[in-house]
């Protein structure tokens, strides 16, 4: 999980960079006004189920943008019937307006400065194009990063007592119990308790849905659904609860049939 961070750099320099459309290293950022992507630094967007925006800079390929959008659609319509599995999280997301910040390999200080005012009211999540469907047997990070955005902008808002990242929420307690039992560890010193809840949810979902590539870090020691059910049954109960419908069918692959649920802007981005 790549967190949104501020960068210590002169405000004057940043203002000049943003005004010129330049990154800190001088790279041109060809941005435009888009319906759902803030800051004027993105060139293309994909709006999925009118709930989450994938926002790409000009140097991100359409192929990478479309892949991330398909992954988002699969997280929301995991059974692939063309309808959102849990409409209440879409309602929450239409308020929180989560967006994925898609850049080639990391956002420049100018991009982050342009987006900074937005983070007070919207959920933002970073995703590098270089780690999106990279091929050659490498892990695809889009499933993780998009799930983070959907969890924080949707599940945690619609069902805070279960999916929230604060003390008292079920998944917060599940993270603590898994860590105490030695089933889970995440040693990034910049990741606080709320961050660790989100990371725990991701690797537990990877274990539940059988994504072996996402388990190679061994952050979670329970690598199968059966092991998860035995070691952290409360987490499985969260995923399988009949109070809502979480994604229990498959780990997203970037293949999604119902393309009418994804709207690209500008229109030529879909070509």
């Amino acid at each position: 999980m790549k967190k949104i961070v501020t960068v210590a750099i002169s405000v004057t320099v940043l203002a000049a960079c943003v005004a010129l459309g330049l990154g800190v290293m001088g790279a041109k950022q060809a941005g435009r006004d888009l319906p759902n992507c803030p800051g004027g630094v993105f060139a293309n967007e994909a709006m999925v189920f009118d709930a989450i925006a994938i926002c790409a800079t000009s140097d991100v390929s359409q192929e990478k943008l479309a892949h991330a959008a398909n992954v988002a659609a699969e997280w929301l319509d995991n059974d692939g019937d063309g309808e959102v599995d849990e409409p209440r999280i879409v309602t929450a997301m239409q308020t929180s307006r989560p967006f994925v910040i898609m850049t080639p390999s990391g956002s420049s200080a100018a991009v982050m400065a342009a987006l900074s005012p937005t983070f007070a009211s919207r959920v933002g999540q970073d995703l590098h194009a270089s780690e999106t469907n990279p091929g050659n047997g490498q892990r695809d990070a889009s499933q993780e990063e998009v799930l983070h955005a959907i969890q924080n902008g949707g599940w945690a808002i619609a069902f805070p007592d279960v999916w929230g990242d604060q003390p008292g929420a079920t998944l917060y307690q599940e993270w603590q119990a898994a860590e105490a039992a030695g089933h889970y560890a995440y040693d990034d010193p910049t990741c606080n308790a709320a961050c660790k809840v989100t990371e725990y949810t991701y690797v537990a979902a990877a274990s539940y849905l059988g994504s072996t590539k996402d388990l190679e870090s061994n952050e979670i020691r329970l690598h199968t659904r059966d092991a998860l059910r035995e070691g952290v049954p409360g987490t499985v109960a969260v995923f399988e609860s009949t109070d809502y419908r979480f994604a229990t069918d498959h780990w997203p692959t970037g293949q999604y049939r119902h393309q009418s649920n994804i709207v690209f802007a500008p229109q030529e981005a879909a070509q």
Side-chain angles (χ1 to χ4, degrees):
M1 176 183 182
K2 296 175 292 299
K3 297 188 294 301
I4 301 305
V5 295
T6 56
V7 180
I9 188 168
S10 164
V11 173
T12 303
V13 172
L14 276 175
C17 286
V18 174
L20 293 172
L22 300 176
V24 170
M25 299 305 292
K28 183 71 176 175
Q29 299 290 339
R32 68 179 95 194
D33 290 331
L34 293 167
N36 301 289
C37 294
V41 293
F42 299 107
N44 299 294
E45 74 170 37
M47 191 66 178
V48 184
F49 279 107
D50 196 30
I52 180 171
I54 313 297
C55 304
T57 54
S58 60
D59 37 13
V60 172
S61 72
Q62 169 60 20
E63 179 184 8
K64 298 283 189 175
L65 172 62
H67 180 84
N70 285 339
V71 165
E74 286 181 274
W75 276 125
L76 295 172
D77 173 23
N78 201 238
D79 63 7
D81 67 354
E83 303 291 336
V84 170
D85 296 335
E86 179 46 73
R88 286 170 290 184
I89 71 164
V90 167
T91 299
M93 292 164 74
Q94 288 171 341
T95 298
S96 66
R97 303 176 65 207
F99 65 106
V100 173
I101 304 162
M102 209 168 179
T103 58
S105 57
S107 300
S108 71
V111 168
M112 297 311 293
L115 296 177
S116 181
T118 307
F119 298 138
S121 59
R122 295 181 66 177
V123 172
Q125 179 64 50
D126 203 11
L127 172 63
H128 301 171
S130 61
E131 63 184 2
T132 299
N133 196 27
N136 299 318
Q138 298 180 69
R139 184 182 79 94
D140 181 354
S142 63
Q143 293 96 338
E144 173 190 358
E145 307 302 349
V146 171
L147 178 59
H148 289 334
I150 292 173
Q151 180 178 355
N152 293 325
W155 287 101
I157 293 173
F159 305 99
D161 292 342
V162 178
W163 287 85
D165 59 12
Q166 298 303 305
T170 304
L171 279 176
Y172 189 101
Q173 295 171 337
E174 285 298 305
W175 153 62
Q176 288 185 312
E179 193 171 78
H183 296 316
Y184 172 76
Y186 191 69
D187 58 6
D188 181 350
T190 68
C191 189
N192 62 17
C195 165
K196 289 180 179 179
V197 173
T198 305
E199 290 292 338
Y200 171 72
T201 304
Y202 143 64
V203 289
S207 179
Y208 184 87
L209 293 171
S211 179
T212 55
K213 277 292 176 186
D214 289 83
L215 302 175
E216 289 180 352
S217 65
N218 208 37
E219 290 167 13
I220 193 167
R221 279 59 161 166
L222 309 169
H223 290 185
T224 66
R225 186 176 298 191
D226 287 342
L228 203 69
R229 197 180 302 279
E230 181 177 349
V232 285
T235 300
V236 174
V238 168
F239 293 162
E240 296 181 346
S241 174
T242 58
D243 293 337
Y244 45 73
R245 287 190 61 195
F246 180 60
T248 58
D249 184 80
H250 71 281
W251 188 254
T253 63
Q255 303 295 317
Y256 184 68
R257 288 191 305 126
H258 305 282
Q259 288 296 301
S260 61
N261 292 321
I262 303 172
V263 177
F264 291 91
Q267 285 290 327
E268 59 266 26
Q271 312 264 320

